[in-house]
Amino acid sequence: MSAVDCPVRDVLDRIGDKWSTLILGTLAAGPHRFSAVQRTVPDISKRMLTQTFRDLERDGLVARTVFPTKPPSVEYRLTPLGQTILEPLDVLVRWADRSQADIEAARQAFDTAS
Amino acid sequence: MSAVDCPVRDVLDRIGDKWSTLILGTLAAGPHRFSAVQRTVPDISKRMLTQTFRDLERDGLVARTVFPTKPPSVEYRLTPLGQTILEPLDVLVRWADRSQADIEAARQAFDTAS
DNA sequence: CTGCATCCCCACGGATACTG
DNA sequence: CAGTATCCGTGGGGATGCAG
C-alpha cells in the first residue's frame, strides 16, 4: 500500500500502540529496570513488555544495559533521540487534557441523538 | 484496566489507528465528500471509511452534512475542535520527519547487530 | 530477575454484495 | 453516491511455562 514507506506511519504506529507511550512516560522520569517498569505499568504482561522494549530499542528511542550481577538485572533508559519525542508527545497529551471535556460532550450528544 | 478511563488513551487510540490521521489530513485542506476522501486515501475500503468517519464525528472532530440531492451527497469537514488537533499532529509529523534518518540508522544498526 | 517459546482467542479490518 | 450487512482470514496480544 502507499503508506508503507511513510516515515510518519512508523511513528504513529509506535505512538498509537497500547504500551509504548506508557513506557516512554515511565522512562522519562529516569532509568528503570525491567521489573520496575512492570510495576509502574501494572497491566502489561512480561511478553508485551519485552516486545515493546525491543521495538523501542530497535528504533533507537530506548537503550538497554545489562548488569552481570547475579541474578542479572537490566536497565532501560531513554536515548537522546528518545528524549526528543517527549515534547511532541507532551503536546498531544496537553491537547487531550484540554479537549477532554469537549470530546466527552460530543460523544454524549452523538449517542443520545442516535 | 487502569488506562481505560484515561483521556489520553482515547486520543492515542484515535491518532494511532490506521486511517484517522490520513482523513484528518485530507479534511485539513477543506471539506470533502465521501468519495473525494476515498479517492485521496486510495487504500481505504468503504467500510472502514464510513466507520472512521463515524468515530471522528462521535468525538466531535468532524461534522457531517447531508445534501438531499439526487443521488444524495454527503460532505465532511473539520469542526473547530477538529481544527485544533492539527497542530499537535503537525508537531508529531515534524518530529517524524526530523528523526526519520536517526530511526532508520538505529534499525539498521540493531538488525545487523543481532 | 529477565526473556523466549508456545498456545490460543478474538477483535480488526478486508472483500463482496445489497439497499435507499 | 453513500451506507449497511455478512463472511472470513490474519495477527495482536494475553496466559503460561521453561531457560539462562
Side-chain angles (χ1 to χ4, degrees):
Chain A
M1 74 164 60
S2 58
V4 159
D5 52 352
C6 171
V8 176
R9 170 60 47 200
D10 286 336
V11 175
L12 255 31
D13 285 347
R14 185 127 332 287
I15 296 301
D17 99 308
K18 199 172 179 182
W19 305 114
S20 296
T21 53
L22 292 172
I23 293 177
L24 290 172
T26 299
L27 295 185
H32 283 66
R33 296 184 43 188
F34 186 94
S35 47
V37 175
Q38 197 167 25
R39 255 174 276 119
T40 309
V41 188
D43 298 324
I44 195 171
S45 64
K46 265 189 309 181
R47 187 191 187 290
M48 289 317 295
L49 184 54
T50 302
Q51 184 175 311
T52 308
F53 269 144
R54 286 183 74 91
D55 289 340
L56 292 171
E57 188 192 358
R58 190 174 107 94
D59 284 358
L61 300 177
V62 162
R64 179 176 180 274
T65 312
V66 181
F67 295 98
T69 54
K70 181 176 173 303
S73 67
V74 180
E75 185 192 82
Y76 293 89
R77 68 181 188 286
L78 294 181
T79 62
L81 179 61
Q83 291 280 351
T84 67
I85 204 181
L86 295 179
E87 187 243 332
L89 226 45
D90 189 56
V91 171
L92 212 54
V93 169
R94 287 206 309 275
W95 183 90
D97 283 338
R98 204 185 326 137
S99 309
Q100 176 182 4
D102 289 341
I103 293 177
E104 191 51 41
R107 285 185 183 172
Q108 296 199 355
F110 184 90
D111 291 347
T112 58
S114 61
Chain B
M1 74 165 59
S2 59
V4 159
D5 53 349
C6 172
V8 176
R9 169 61 47 201
D10 286 338
V11 174
L12 255 30
D13 286 346
R14 185 127 332 288
I15 296 300
D17 99 310
K18 200 171 177 181
W19 304 115
S20 296
T21 53
L22 293 172
I23 292 177
L24 289 172
T26 299
L27 295 185
H32 283 66
R33 295 184 42 189
F34 186 93
S35 48
V37 175
Q38 197 167 26
R39 255 174 276 119
T40 310
V41 188
D43 298 323
I44 196 172
S45 63
K46 265 190 306 182
R47 186 188 187 289
M48 288 317 296
L49 184 54
T50 301
Q51 185 175 310
T52 308
F53 269 144
R54 287 181 75 91
D55 290 339
L56 292 171
E57 188 193 359
R58 190 174 108 92
D59 283 358
L61 301 176
V62 163
R64 179 176 179 273
T65 312
V66 181
F67 296 97
T69 55
K70 181 175 173 305
S73 68
V74 179
E75 185 191 84
Y76 293 89
R77 68 181 188 288
L78 292 181
T79 62
L81 179 61
Q83 292 280 351
T84 67
I85 204 181
L86 295 179
E87 187 244 330
L89 227 43
D90 189 55
V91 171
L92 212 53
V93 168
R94 287 208 308 276
W95 183 89
D97 283 338
R98 203 185 327 138
S99 309
Q100 177 181 4
D102 289 341
I103 292 176
E104 191 50 41
R107 285 185 183 173
Q108 296 200 356
F110 185 89
D111 291 346
T112 58
S114 61

